[in-house]
């Protein structure tokens, strides 16, 4: 991560911690107040657009969850489709059991 990205990230975290809306202008003014002069304005606008309407604190707390949109899609699909997902899981379990049984039906085993 470059110094420009790092400075913009820290500025965004400071704004989020204070409960202030993250905008490009506010990021730039925080970076200038910290006397970091080599940050291009594009970084501030990129971070502001990426974090627009998002709760940064919530993002930090859910880092290991695998993402909010991906987790919400299967839950919504299961609710709309009824019991389609559990039925698919049961079919997979049956297939695995059949594979195990077919190995035993050969009449010999590894330690016979």
């Amino acid at each position: 991560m470059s110094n420009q990205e790092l400075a913009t990230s820290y500025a965004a975290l400071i704004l989020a911690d204070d409960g202030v809306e993250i905008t490009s202008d506010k990021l730039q003014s925080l970076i200038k107040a910290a006397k970091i002069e080599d940050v291009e304005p594009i970084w501030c606008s990129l971070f502001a657009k990426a974090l627009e309407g998002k709760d940064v604190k919530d993002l930090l707390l859910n880092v290991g969850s695998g993402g909010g949109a991906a987790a919400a899609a299967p839950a919504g699909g299961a609710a709309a489709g009824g019991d389609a997902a559990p039925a698919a899981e049961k079919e997979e379990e049956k297939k695995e059991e059949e594979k195990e049984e077919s190995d035993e039906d050969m009449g010999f085993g590894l330690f016979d």
Side-chain angles (χ1 to χ4, degrees), residues 87-103:
E89 291 175 9
K90 289 179 183 177
E91 289 180 16
E92 290 178 14
E93 289 176 11
K94 288 180 183 178
K95 289 179 183 179
E96 289 177 12
E97 289 176 9
E98 290 175 7
K99 289 179 184 178
E100 291 175 8
E101 291 174 4
S102 65
D103 291 342

Side-chain angles (χ1 to χ4, degrees), residues 21-112:
E21 183 182 356
I22 299 172
T23 64
S24 179
D25 294 334
K26 291 177 183 176
L27 289 171
Q28 286 178 355
S29 61
L30 250 178
I31 291 169
K32 287 180 184 178
K35 298 179 183 176
I36 302 172
E37 298 179 11
D38 62 339
V39 178
E40 296 178 21
I42 187 71
W43 289 111
C44 295
S45 61
L46 283 173
F47 273 75
K49 286 181 184 178
L51 297 173
E52 183 179 356
K54 294 186 176 61
D55 184 14
V56 176
K57 291 179 184 179
D58 188 42
L59 289 173
L60 290 173
L61 292 175
N62 295 321
V63 170
S65 69
D83 294 329
E89 291 175 9
K90 289 179 183 177
E91 289 180 16
E92 290 178 14
E93 289 176 11
K94 288 180 183 178
K95 289 179 183 179
E96 289 177 12
E97 289 176 9
E98 290 175 7
K99 289 179 184 178
E100 291 175 8
E101 291 174 4
S102 65
D103 291 342
E104 293 174 7
D105 292 339
M106 298 176 113
F108 62 90
L110 185 61
F111 298 107
D112 285 342

